[in-house]
Amino acid sequence: MGGCFSKPKPVEVKVEVVLPEKEREKEEMSPNGKASPLAYKANGTTRLYHHEERPIVLNPYTNPKDVVEASVCHVKDLENGQIREVDLGCGKALLVKQNGEYYAMGHKCPHYGAPLVKGVLSKGRVRCPWHGACFNIATGDIEDFPGLDGLPKFQVKIEKERVYIRASKQALLSQRRTKVMAKCIALSNYSTAITNILIIGAGPAGLVCAETLRQEGFSDRIVMCTSEKNLPYDRSKLSKSMDSQAEQIFLRSKEFFHTYDIEVLTETQVVSVDTKNKIVMFKDGFRMEYNKLLIATGSTPKTLTCKGKELDNVITIRTPEDANKVVRLASSKNAVIVGASFLGMEVAAYLCEKAHSVSVVELENIPFKKFLGEKVGLAIMKMFENNRVKFYMQTEVSELREQEGKLKEVVLKSGKVLRADVCVIGIGASPTTGFLKQSGVALDSRGYIPVNKMMQTNIPGVFAAGDVVTFPLAFRNNKKMNVPHWQMAHMQGRIAALNMLAQGTEINTVPYLWTAMFGKSIRYAGHGEGFDDVIIQGDIDELKFVAFYTRNDEVIAVASMNYDPIVSKVAEIMASGKTIRKRDVEIFVCHGKTGDISWLTGKGS
């Protein structure tokens, strides 16, 4: 069994709270000024854990030389419901006014650095205009994803009708804040084969689950296991930045996992789960007992069934090494992409400047037709054709021909023969749940794990999250759906962690995704499955548009190009529980150019 860390010896428990090294901000307190105790069970014994009680300090900056204070505007310069990016001389901050109160925090989204001043302010939080992450304006905490870190929070004071911000220089430069976490510096009565929390899978769901447990004060053993050789990484970049080495896209460093005692076992494949005795069996024969289990194994790419599918240069992209290999094989050569999926199209776009030729083979007549509709699909197809990508639609692969053991030609059922030095398969994926067939964990007919709003399976103490689940999607009348988005996996991992701690938290988030091709991004929020009409505003030929997907007069999803931050605005409306009707679309687009959405939510600033 592979592993990043040595296994601890069973010794007495000691717990401490560790603050991030670069920021020493105090943890948010409950209204009575004390941290609430958290109860959880380890090996059947209930324990209480308290965060270290510290006095509420008005000045959290311990080093005066690291502090800057600046007057940033007059009190009348900012209206309620407005946000402004302000300069403190050595860095910028985001200034917010809501309900007569001023708040200041980092001005860039910690995920990819989006300017939050272009985002959406609503209900005490600001939503990123690019990928939809949400941050609490009072605490800076991340409340919806993607991303792992919150925003640094700065002090605001009013003096002689001027607004002053007091901030740490270091925080202004970093523009991110890792939340205070508990740390287990030793393990109680545990052999290497026993853990309190076992997480199968090291994607965003598994990582966020582990981090949330530590953030909530959980101080017992946490083990994550993955069949891959790498620490958790940003899988969304595999088709968008294919040259990236694994270390460049790690979500957290090895030191981070050491610091917070989150054990990661790599190259460790689970083959079965005994839920009755709470034991997981691994391929190498190792067995591990657990108290609570999270299944977050993601999905496995589908492969072709035709002759030649096993050739070395026929690749499904699952790891950074896969993506790197495709780039090497495609350089100045002929690349064929099978499947006009998001992955397939992103790969095609990325290879355009590297390969001699790029061809896309697709069974449908228009890319993204079922997901984005015919008009949007055609506009995207035209953009690709303008960048030298050739499409072979309404056909599929019948044979992959080799020469000296390597792929040389892709034969289509239409009779067309394509020269190919590398073939990337992007025809979808299946949930990685085969190891659960004898476990008692319920699976549906497609192999997905049905869970409730708290990410619980049918087995007590067993949770599931990410691409492997179907769950009740709140804004679609709690219909159980599979939503295999990067953002959704983060949130599901968090919800699972909170309910492992018996907090009774239900998932209530709006799906949000994005894709990037030829330097242009498509943002998408909602869940458009079953849409019966598409209303397009803007100029689709110029790729500056917003498309509203409706079902029975109700907007159920939105997509845009070059129309920020309208998708984030729609996501906020959906998150508020309000409905956008067809008749609202035109006025919504007009209001979408402002930062105010109170006209539709019915709530003032």
Side-chain angles (χ1 to χ4, degrees):
M1 179 187 303
C4 289
F5 314 124
S6 60
K7 297 196 168 66
K9 297 178 180 179
V11 288
E12 181 185 1
V13 162
K14 295 181 182 178
V15 179
E16 65 179 16
V17 174
V18 176
L19 297 176
E21 293 180 4
K22 294 186 179 179
E23 287 186 73
R24 301 281 180 179
E25 295 186 16
K26 66 183 190 315
E27 175 70 336
E28 287 299 310
M29 295 293 180
S30 58
N32 63 9
K34 294 182 179 180
S36 302
L38 295 165
Y40 63 92
K41 286 189 176 182
N43 295 338
T45 303
T46 301
R47 303 177 185 175
L48 288 177
Y49 169 72
H50 290 262
H51 287 291
E52 179 187 6
E53 293 185 11
R54 299 182 295 278
I56 297 178
V57 182
L58 294 179
N59 180 10
Y61 309 115
T62 56
N63 182 3
K65 293 182 180 180
D66 183 45
V67 176
V68 60
E69 184 175 299
S71 170
V72 294
C73 69
H74 191 276
V75 291
K76 294 182 179 179
D77 290 343
L78 213 61
E79 299 292 333
N80 270 329
Q82 287 187 331
I83 53 181
R84 174 180 290 188
E85 193 175 275
V86 294
D87 196 334
L88 277 69
C90 61
K92 295 181 179 180
L94 188 73
L95 181 64
V96 177
K97 186 178 182 182
Q98 193 166 61
N99 298 323
E101 297 290 333
Y102 290 89
Y103 306 88
M105 64 213 72
H107 72 106
K108 287 184 178 181
C109 178
H111 180 226
Y112 282 2
L116 293 176
V117 70
K118 296 182 179 180
V120 180
L121 177 65
S122 174
K123 292 186 177 181
R125 69 183 191 179
V126 61
R127 184 184 283 268
C128 172
W130 290 359
H131 308 132
C134 297
F135 303 92
N136 186 295
I137 61 173
T139 66
D141 289 346
I142 187 168
E143 295 186 342
D144 205 339
F145 301 90
L148 298 171
D149 294 321
L151 298 170
K153 185 73 178 64
F154 309 132
Q155 291 181 342
V156 180
K157 70 175 183 178
I158 309 299
E159 194 172 282
K160 296 180 180 180
E161 296 193 317
R162 297 290 302 177
V163 179
Y164 290 82
I165 294 178
R166 181 178 173 84
S168 157
K169 295 177 183 178
Q170 210 166 37
L172 284 169
L173 292 173
S174 71
Q175 290 294 317
R176 64 178 63 238
R177 176 180 59 85
T178 302
K179 198 171 181 181
V180 176
M181 295 192 194
K183 177 183 176 182
C184 183
I185 60 175
L187 300 170
S188 68
N189 302 320
Y190 279 138
S191 73
T192 57
I194 301 175
T195 185
N196 195 302
I197 303 290
L198 178 59
I199 299 170
I200 308 176
L207 178 58
V208 171
C209 178
E211 290 199 23
T212 301
L213 288 167
R214 289 289 186 243
Q215 290 166 1
E216 295 295 315
F218 184 81
S219 57
D220 232 310
R221 190 181 185 196
I222 300 173
V223 175
M224 296 174 63
C225 60
T226 173
S227 59
E228 295 192 32
K229 68 179 184 179
N230 296 308
L231 291 173
Y233 58 85
D234 189 343
R235 192 181 300 277
S236 70
K237 289 186 176 180
L238 295 188
S239 51
K240 298 180 180 73
S241 181
M242 299 177 67
D243 275 323
S244 297
Q245 301 300 302
E247 295 78 8
Q248 296 174 306
I249 57 174
F250 280 174
L251 295 172
R252 294 294 195 194
S253 67
K254 187 175 181 179
E255 291 70 28
F256 176 92
F257 293 100
H258 275 297
T259 298
Y260 299 111
D261 291 317
I262 299 170
E263 300 171 66
V264 184
L265 305 179
T266 57
E267 298 180 287
T268 307
Q269 184 178 346
V270 174
V271 293
S272 64
V273 177
D274 178 353
T275 56
K276 183 177 180 180
N277 295 302
K278 295 189 173 183
I279 297 174
V280 165
M281 279 69 73
F282 297 92
K283 188 175 182 179
D284 63 0
F286 185 71
R287 297 155 64 92
M288 182 172 284
E289 295 181 31
Y290 64 86
N291 184 42
K292 298 282 177 66
L293 178 68
L294 176 69
I295 302 165
T297 43
S299 55
T300 301
K302 293 180 180 179
T303 59
L304 297 176
T305 57
C306 64
K307 181 181 177 182
K309 62 183 176 62
E310 72 289 341
L311 293 172
D312 183 59
N313 41 352
V314 177
I315 301 170
T316 56
I317 296 178
R318 177 65 183 171
T319 68
E321 293 75 25
D322 293 333
N324 297 164
K325 182 179 179 180
V326 169
V327 174
R328 288 196 306 271
L329 292 173
S331 181
S332 301
K333 299 293 181 65
N334 303 295
V336 174
I337 318 298
V338 180
S341 59
F342 280 102
L343 181 142
M345 295 289 274
E346 287 173 357
V347 169
Y350 190 85
L351 294 180
C352 269
E353 293 185 357
K354 300 179 181 298
H356 173 71
S357 69
V358 178
S359 302
V360 175
V361 179
E362 168 59 37
L363 193 57
E364 294 290 332
N365 64 327
I366 298 171
F368 303 127
K369 182 178 179 179
K370 291 181 179 179
F371 194 84
L372 296 175
E374 186 171 322
K375 289 183 179 179
V376 175
L378 281 172
I380 295 171
M381 187 174 179
K382 182 179 178 181
M383 176 178 70
F384 272 75
E385 289 174 332
N386 289 340
N387 283 277
R388 299 187 306 109
V389 176
K390 294 183 179 180
F391 287 93
Y392 299 88
M393 309 301 285
Q394 295 181 284
T395 188
E396 52 190 325
V397 177
S398 63
E399 182 184 354
L400 298 168
R401 290 178 182 167
E402 60 145 323
Q403 183 178 334
E404 298 179 355
K406 293 185 178 181
L407 174 71
K408 292 304 293 181
E409 293 177 334
V410 174
V411 182
L412 307 181
K413 287 188 176 179
S414 63
K416 184 71 175 178
V417 178
L418 308 178
R419 292 184 61 187
D421 299 287
V422 61
C423 181
V424 177
I425 312 302
I427 56 174
S430 302
T432 308
T433 54
F435 66 97
L436 295 172
K437 288 184 178 178
Q438 305 300 321
S439 67
V441 175
L443 302 175
D444 68 15
S445 59
R446 298 180 297 166
Y448 293 103
I449 306 170
V451 295
N452 62 16
K453 287 186 176 183
M454 294 186 286
M455 311 315 295
Q456 296 168 328
T457 70
N458 63 308
I459 304 294
V462 178
F463 298 77
D467 292 4
V468 296
V469 305
T470 60
F471 71 104
L473 188 57
F475 93 100
R476 291 294 303 269
N477 299 315
N478 293 315
K479 181 179 178 181
K480 281 206 170 182
M481 296 182 172
N482 173 251
V483 184
H485 301 343
W486 187 247
Q487 163 259 358
M488 188 60 73
H490 285 69
M491 181 58 81
Q492 290 174 348
R494 176 168 175 78
I495 298 298
L498 294 175
N499 291 306
M500 285 179 174
L501 300 174
Q503 293 192 19
T505 306
E506 296 184 347
I507 191 166
N508 183 19
T509 189
V510 175
Y512 203 115
L513 67 87
W514 72 96
T515 184
M517 300 167 291
F518 303 113
K520 299 183 183 296
S521 292
I522 298 176
R523 326 264 190 228
Y524 182 98
H527 192 71
E529 183 178 300
F531 69 87
D532 54 29
D533 195 12
V534 184
I535 303 171
I536 296 175
Q537 298 281 310
D539 192 333
I540 196 166
D541 293 328
E542 294 296 321
L543 300 178
K544 186 175 182 179
F545 67 90
V546 53
F548 294 85
Y549 300 85
T550 65
R551 181 177 174 83
N552 299 329
D553 191 51
E554 178 183 341
V555 174
I556 57 175
V558 62
S560 79
M561 289 185 77
N562 297 307
Y563 231 98
D564 291 342
I566 199 162
V567 169
S568 287
K569 294 182 190 298
V570 173
E572 274 304 292
I573 300 298
M574 290 176 169
S576 75
K578 300 294 181 180
T579 298
I580 303 174
R581 303 289 180 186
K582 280 187 175 181
R583 64 178 178 270
D584 299 322
V585 166
E586 187 172 347
I587 190 171
F588 184 88
V589 172
C590 292
H591 279 275
K593 296 177 182 178
T594 74
D596 181 19
I597 60 173
S598 60
W599 65 277
L600 190 51
T601 62
K603 296 184 181 293
S605 299

